[in-house]
Amino acid sequence: MNSDAIVSDPAILGGKPCLRGTRISVEFILELLASGASRDEILTAYPQVTAPLLSAALAYAAQSLKNDVVWDVKIPA
């Protein structure tokens, strides 16, 4: 993963991780993909997004979730 491709600046989108040189967040990229957009459709619709930036966004999202732990805690009524 290109660690320079994803930046977080409190002055841009409230500090959400974004693709360098854009105001496009990693979250937005994931939302596009989840809604059925293909990589090619994203690259065509958003010319400021390059293939390496798109790959970096996906790698960033995967790495961010890698060490998440989910606890299924039952609270007695």
Side-chain angles (χ1 to χ4, degrees):
M1 171 177 71
N2 180 354
S3 60
D4 294 337
I6 307 300
V7 295
S8 182
D9 180 343
I12 300 172
L13 295 178
K16 286 184 178 186
C18 294
L19 305 179
R20 178 173 293 288
T22 75
R23 296 180 64 84
I24 297 177
S25 68
V26 172
E27 174 186 16
F28 181 65
I29 294 294
L30 294 176
E31 287 173 346
L32 290 172
L33 291 166
S35 71
S38 70
R39 291 171 72 104
D40 287 338
E41 289 171 333
I42 294 170
L43 294 173
T44 300
Y46 301 93
Q48 67 273 43
V49 176
T50 63
L53 282 177
L54 184 55
S55 293
L58 297 177
Y60 178 88
Q63 186 63 37
S64 295
L65 294 171
K66 187 167 276 211
N67 294 318
D68 272 7
V69 177
V70 177
W71 297 82
D72 185 15
V73 178
K74 305 287 189 230
I75 301 174

